[in-house]
Amino acid sequence: MLCAATTPVYAFAQDAAPAGEPAAASDVDYGNDIIVTASKRSQTLQDTPIAVSVTSAADIQNSAIRDLIDLQSAVPSLRVSQLQSSANTNFIIRGFGNGANNAGIEPSVGVFIDGVYRSRSAAQIGDLPNLERVEVLRGPQSTLFGKNASAGVISIVTQKPQFDFGGSAEVSYGNYDAITAKASITGPISETIAFSLAGNFNRRDGYAQDLNLDTDVNDRNRWGVRGQLLFEPTDALSIRLIGDYDKIDENCCIAGNVIAGPTIGITNALVGGPSVDANNPFSYNVYNNFLSSNEIENYGGSAQIDYDLGNLALTSITAYRKVQADTNQDSDFTSADLIGEKSDKVGIDTFTQEIRLTSDFDGPVNFLLGGYYFHEKVKQQSAIKFGDDFRDYGNALIQGASGGLLNVGVLEGALGAPSGSFFKVGTGLDEAYRMKNTAWSIFGTVDFEVTDRLTLSAGANYTQDRKRFSTDVVSSDAFSKVNLDAGAYAPFRNQLLFQGGVAAGVGQALGLNRAATAAEVNAFAGANPVAFGGIATAAQTNANNNQNNPAANPLNPLKAFQFLPDFFNLPNAFEPNRTRDNDLAWSLRAAYEVTDTVNVYATYATGFKASSVNLSRESRPLAADLAAIVAAGQATPNLTSGTRFATPEESEVYEIGLKGQWSVAALNLAVFKQSIKGFQSNVFNGTGFELVNAEKQSTFGIEFDGSVRPVQGLNLTLAVTYLDPKYDKFTNSSFGDISGTMPAGIPELTMAVGGTYTHEFAGGTRAIFHADYHYESPVQIVEGLNGFPPSVAQSLKREVNQLNASFTLALTNGLEVGVWGRNLTNAKYLTTVFPAVAQSGSVSGYPNQPRTYGVTGRFKF
């Protein structure tokens, strides 16, 4: 957390450090003396006029932070949530963020590892060996990073190879048979070449139980290797080569039943017992009919060249990344075999090139000038198929919706479909999507020292972004292909109108307050033939008058069960299949050194994120394009409007800040008003994701963090974030006009408080005790739920109270042993909730991780 870093850092991932400068120091507390590269220059945190939180390697080690999900417990302005697979993690800074669950959406929060942009969210930090620090930059960062990030940046920095031989090894064992191991070695190959080689292994049994499959789920199984070479042939030239490969093969992610709707009775009947744990969403007891799988490969390489030209420094970073994810999930989250397959195979190839020229003149003017190129290809193959139980499930739904008048077999006969074709096992959607994204930008900043204490800065970033995409989605769902309004079915609809009118009339005559059953109708007709004749005549007249009235179509309730209709694919003659975006983002900043220990700054900055593409089964023509398609007679059955893509995000922030550094304390304060026009909202509706733009979302906020060292060896930290977010205007959300409301999932108050006490014994042995507490005030988890009144979503709240602690004994021979625990109070809450898949009236949710603890042994040499 900001000001809580316990290890001063002197090696920079994005700026070459002078030869011979140490890579790390001791565990003494230095507060704002920590060196960061948030501004693309090596500066102390005190002198960096940017809202940035820094979590050092020591903090990560003491807090047992294993991945970016855990990092939020140290950075209050950051929120991270795990979604339906190990490859889907959503990052939110100051209440802004998106990008998970849809390969066509770049995140609003950019993740960089050693200066290389990671375009998708399957990024780990705890398994990265030789991690040096994590910088979280808050607010738009367009003028410092060539790849625009409209909400903020997470910059992960690892240590460079060293010319002194050394290394480390670490093994940890915890509950759920968790085993993590890391090892690294570094040293010289020659006087001008150094290397480092590292590997990691992370395995854990599942912390949840699948009571239907009788096995644990939500396990962890991942490993990786990483190698580096550092060439320093002269004092002026440094070349850093990095290659890495990591693999994930695990079962993830469970969803508990939050609200048990009327369909639960059907699924219970289908399996002859409980199909969900309907009483306790936090029990970590789930029911599935097959294990979900996540196989993810992530690999790539980069080359960073730093050349010292005296008063100028030239940096080039070239990188190629490949992510291959193959996932399959029992996405109905019941033990009934409703969804037999929900698979996604996604391949992402990314090439980036960045060049920067940075000045270091003695005069009042200095500058940074850069260019950035980004090229990416996305290929995705997906499928969603009906399972063995879906035909019986669909039959029950249709019977319930028609008051018992209809079933699947009757519909197949009446609509001319082959027997057994509706909801047939193995039918559904086969999906293929492609997207190519090319972007380039020119960016830079100029700093002008008006006086020794006052510096004015201006920056700009001009970006061009081009995306081209296509779809090839084929439906084999026979029922969804039927146009229930078609004229060919008019006689059948007329018959149903008549039958329904008779049943309603008899029910009214009998005072039942419902439609009469077939047996009740027959009995009434026999006992009251005259009255029955009148009811039948009225029913027939009503049926004749309404046989062509779409609103009176008795098959209308069945349209909700046409889950997977035919797709209207791109490219086509009516819609564009490309986006072209241009933007000029800019910033102005004034930084003033009030005293040698207090700095203040004021910033205005804009940011930009290009159009995002809806690469999902909810990708539908825009309303204007749909009208043209219908007019041309090219519409597929049940085609509705939606969004193929969302237009760009344009952000701006007004911010003032104060940074103070004293001998025993440090503090940082930021007050800001940040907004995004065109925020790209991505919401699950029960069968797919709807991508739409909010006209404007804004947040007023106050961020404070500080540290104090009241006695030798004790460092106390406090970080607090207050946010007041709202949708200034959001008229076309998935839940209607929600303008003026508070965005879901963004707590008003977030706090991280911690303490680290280090005691050194005679002889040099040290004992280190650390504890930290993370709090988030109660907040509505989701903006709305399709099919539910607003009050249901408003009743679903999340409050976070998490306690973490560790104790480490560091011996003088480089050996360390310790114990650690996360979420020690076993606090339980839901991270995300969503409508249950194809189960109207039910809600599912992802629970947080339970208490974990373990022991660690570490050796450094």
Side-chain angles (χ1 to χ4, degrees):
M1 65 188 70
L2 192 61
C3 303
T6 58
T7 304
V9 178
Y10 300 100
F12 319 118
Q14 297 166 351
D15 297 85
E21 198 169 288
S26 65
D27 291 317
V28 180
D29 301 316
Y30 284 81
N32 279 1
D33 283 340
I34 190 168
I35 303 295
V36 298
T37 53
S39 62
K40 295 298 181 78
R41 301 173 185 270
S42 55
Q43 295 178 295
T44 65
L45 192 58
Q46 170 74 17
D47 293 330
T48 303
I50 298 174
V52 53
S53 301
V54 180
T55 306
S56 72
D59 294 323
I60 289 170
Q61 176 180 304
N62 290 334
S63 298
I65 292 174
R66 301 297 185 192
D67 53 32
L68 285 171
I69 298 175
D70 295 336
L71 183 63
Q72 63 188 325
S73 65
V75 183
S77 292
L78 173 68
R79 173 146 195 91
V80 188
S81 59
Q82 178 78 66
L83 301 173
Q84 84 266 22
S85 80
S86 300
N88 284 298
T89 304
N90 203 30
F91 305 117
I92 297 173
I93 292 179
R94 290 178 168 176
F96 301 99
N98 53 22
N101 297 305
N102 195 323
I105 305 176
E106 288 186 44
S108 298
V109 175
V111 176
F112 292 77
I113 298 181
D114 289 329
V116 176
Y117 176 61
R118 300 292 182 97
S119 64
R120 297 303 183 271
S121 61
Q124 306 153 234
I125 61 168
D127 294 329
L128 280 174
N130 296 327
L131 183 66
E132 195 166 275
R133 68 186 182 277
V134 179
E135 302 175 5
V136 178
L137 287 71
R138 309 188 292 270
Q141 303 297 326
S142 300
T143 62
L144 292 174
F145 289 80
K147 186 60 180 173
N148 272 305
S150 58
V153 163
I154 301 172
S155 179
I156 301 170
V157 181
T158 67
Q159 290 183 12
K160 295 191 299 185
Q162 302 297 303
F163 284 91
D164 293 324
F165 183 75
S168 65
E170 175 183 320
V171 177
S172 179
Y173 179 78
N175 58 332
Y176 305 109
D177 283 333
I179 300 174
T180 61
K182 293 190 290 186
S184 66
I185 188 170
T186 187
I189 297 177
S190 69
E191 291 185 353
T192 59
I193 303 175
F195 81 97
S196 67
L197 182 64
N200 60 275
F201 174 79
N202 189 339
R203 193 207 67 82
R204 184 199 66 208
D205 291 341
Y207 57 77
Q209 290 294 312
D210 191 311
L211 301 184
N212 183 54
L213 299 175
D214 192 26
T215 185
D216 62 87
V217 287
N218 265 41
D219 64 354
R220 178 159 288 184
N221 184 21
R222 48 185 68 175
W223 61 273
V225 293
R226 180 181 173 90
Q228 298 188 63
L229 286 175
L230 178 64
F231 299 85
E232 293 185 344
T234 69
D235 291 341
L237 179 62
S238 174
I239 302 173
R240 183 185 185 186
L241 304 179
I242 304 174
D244 64 273
Y245 175 90
D246 60 72
K247 177 72 178 290
I248 296 175
D249 184 2
E250 55 197 29
N251 173 273
C252 183
C253 302
I254 65 162
N257 181 264
V258 179
I259 297 176
T263 61
I264 298 301
I266 302 174
T267 54
N268 288 347
L270 289 173
V271 301
S275 58
V276 298
D277 183 354
N279 299 315
N280 186 3
F282 306 111
S283 67
Y284 303 108
N285 288 331
V286 296
Y287 294 80
N288 294 290
N289 57 281
F290 68 88
L291 286 176
S292 299
S293 61
N294 295 263
E295 296 183 11
I296 302 161
E297 288 183 297
N298 177 28
Y299 57 88
S302 65
Q304 177 170 334
I305 303 173
D306 292 285
Y307 192 64
D308 187 353
L309 300 170
N311 291 328
L312 297 173
L314 181 66
T315 297
S316 170
I317 303 177
T318 307
Y320 169 78
R321 304 295 313 172
K322 172 75 172 183
V323 176
Q324 188 72 42
D326 187 351
T327 64
N328 190 23
Q329 187 179 47
D330 184 9
S331 58
D332 59 77
F333 300 110
T334 74
S335 57
D337 189 14
L338 303 183
I339 305 299
E341 177 186 350
K342 171 58 185 76
S343 61
D344 294 285
K345 296 180 180 180
V346 182
I348 303 174
D349 293 83
T350 308
F351 173 80
T352 58
Q353 173 65 57
E354 181 177 357
I355 297 177
R356 297 194 310 268
L357 183 66
T358 307
S359 71
D360 186 19
F361 298 127
D362 292 333
V365 178
N366 277 286
F367 68 88
L368 178 151
L369 179 64
Y372 188 85
Y373 176 76
F374 175 86
H375 181 76
E376 183 169 81
K377 292 182 179 180
V378 177
K379 295 182 179 180
Q380 177 179 333
Q381 288 184 307
S382 301
I384 182 168
K385 302 293 181 65
F386 295 133
D388 289 333
D389 293 331
F390 203 95
R391 181 173 169 85
D392 291 335
Y393 177 73
N395 186 62
L397 293 178
I398 288 171
Q399 286 182 319
S402 65
L405 291 177
L406 300 173
N407 57 46
V408 171
V410 168
L411 280 175
E412 288 171 339
L415 303 180
S419 178
S421 61
F422 287 176
F423 308 123
K424 182 180 179 180
V425 62
T427 62
L429 279 186
D430 289 287
E431 309 166 61
Y433 308 96
R434 300 287 186 270
M435 185 180 76
K436 183 170 73 173
N437 182 195
T438 301
W440 62 267
S441 64
I442 299 173
F443 63 99
T445 60
V446 176
D447 298 333
F448 176 63
E449 293 184 7
V450 180
T451 69
D452 289 342
R453 293 187 178 273
L454 175 62
T455 300
L456 302 180
S457 302
N461 179 313
Y462 177 76
T463 294
Q464 281 194 0
D465 186 281
R466 304 289 185 262
K467 292 184 175 73
R468 189 170 185 171
F469 49 96
S470 63
T471 70
D472 184 11
V473 181
V474 178
S475 174
S476 56
D477 175 12
F479 184 61
S480 292
K481 290 175 175 289
V482 175
N483 181 359
L484 297 176
D485 289 320
Y489 311 132
F492 178 55
R493 295 198 301 268
N494 187 279
Q495 178 188 356
L496 293 178
L497 280 169
F498 170 72
Q499 291 176 330
V502 169
V506 172
Q508 183 178 3
L510 295 175
L512 300 177
N513 293 321
R514 59 170 173 80
T517 65
E520 291 168 337
V521 168
N522 290 334
F524 182 83
N528 303 279
V530 176
F532 178 77
I535 291 173
T537 299
Q540 188 63 67
T541 300
N542 181 70
N544 293 338
N545 291 336
N546 285 283
Q547 60 179 328
N548 295 316
N549 180 8
N553 184 349
L555 300 179
N556 282 340
L558 306 188
K559 294 178 181 178
F561 311 136
Q562 294 181 307
F563 299 110
L564 305 172
D566 271 328
F567 213 75
F568 196 77
N569 283 304
L570 288 167
N572 59 61
F574 304 94
E575 301 175 86
N577 67 323
R578 63 188 66 191
T579 63
R580 300 172 63 90
D581 300 317
N582 306 299
D583 182 77
L584 178 64
W586 54 283
S587 64
L588 295 173
R589 177 178 294 114
Y592 184 70
E593 185 178 348
V594 180
T595 69
D596 291 341
T597 59
V598 176
N599 295 350
V600 295
Y601 69 90
T603 298
Y604 172 80
T606 68
F608 171 77
K609 189 181 82 165
S611 299
S612 287
V613 179
N614 194 355
L615 299 184
S616 80
R617 69 187 62 90
E618 285 299 314
S619 179
R620 302 179 186 277
L622 298 175
D625 295 326
L626 178 61
I629 294 168
V630 172
Q634 298 298 310
T636 57
N638 305 313
L639 180 64
T640 60
S641 64
T643 54
R644 297 288 198 186
F645 60 90
T647 55
E649 293 183 352
E650 297 182 351
S651 58
E652 70 173 0
V653 63
Y654 298 86
E655 181 175 321
I656 58 174
L658 180 148
K659 294 171 180 278
Q661 171 73 39
W662 300 275
S663 59
V664 296
L667 69 83
N668 296 268
L669 178 68
V671 180
F672 65 90
K673 179 64 179 292
Q674 186 170 329
S675 63
I676 291 183
K677 293 181 179 179
F679 177 75
Q680 296 167 0
S681 171
N682 188 42
V683 174
F684 184 70
N685 62 12
T687 56
F689 290 88
E690 299 177 6
L691 176 62
V692 295
N693 289 103
E695 289 91 334
K696 185 178 180 182
Q697 178 185 344
S698 65
T699 300
F700 169 78
I702 302 173
E703 297 164 328
F704 169 85
D705 45 74
S707 67
V708 62
R709 296 173 292 280
V711 297
Q712 178 68 29
L714 177 62
N715 188 45
L716 303 177
T717 62
L718 172 65
V720 180
T721 296
Y722 166 80
L723 299 176
D724 181 19
K726 69 174 179 178
Y727 286 121
D728 301 80
K729 188 177 183 182
F730 195 177
T731 56
N732 62 336
S733 83
S734 300
F735 317 106
D737 188 349
I738 57 174
S739 302
T741 65
M742 179 177 177
I746 306 172
E748 183 179 56
L749 182 66
T750 306
M751 179 177 65
V753 58
T756 302
Y757 179 69
T758 302
H759 179 76
E760 186 166 342
F761 298 93
T765 296
R766 289 177 297 122
I768 306 166
F769 175 75
H770 171 84
D772 61 79
Y773 170 71
H774 175 60
Y775 171 76
E776 294 180 13
S777 59
V779 64
Q780 184 176 323
I781 302 175
V782 66
E783 265 121 25
L785 293 164
N786 284 328
F788 289 89
S791 58
V792 174
Q794 293 164 5
S795 68
L796 298 174
K797 303 279 189 178
R798 176 183 66 235
E799 182 178 6
V800 177
N801 291 274
Q802 182 171 316
L803 177 65
N804 313 305
S806 68
F807 176 77
T808 302
L809 194 63
L811 308 178
T812 56
N813 59 0
L815 179 65
E816 298 179 6
V817 292
V819 295
W820 55 268
R822 291 191 62 82
N823 191 17
L824 289 173
T825 60
N826 205 29
K828 296 179 180 180
Y829 55 91
L830 294 169
T831 62
T832 308
V833 297
F834 54 93
V837 176
Q839 300 164 73
S840 178
S842 291
V843 176
S844 301
Y846 296 114
N848 70 309
Q849 187 169 286
R851 178 193 298 118
T852 56
Y853 51 86
V855 297
T856 297
R858 187 180 299 111
F859 180 65
K860 301 177 181 178
F861 60 94

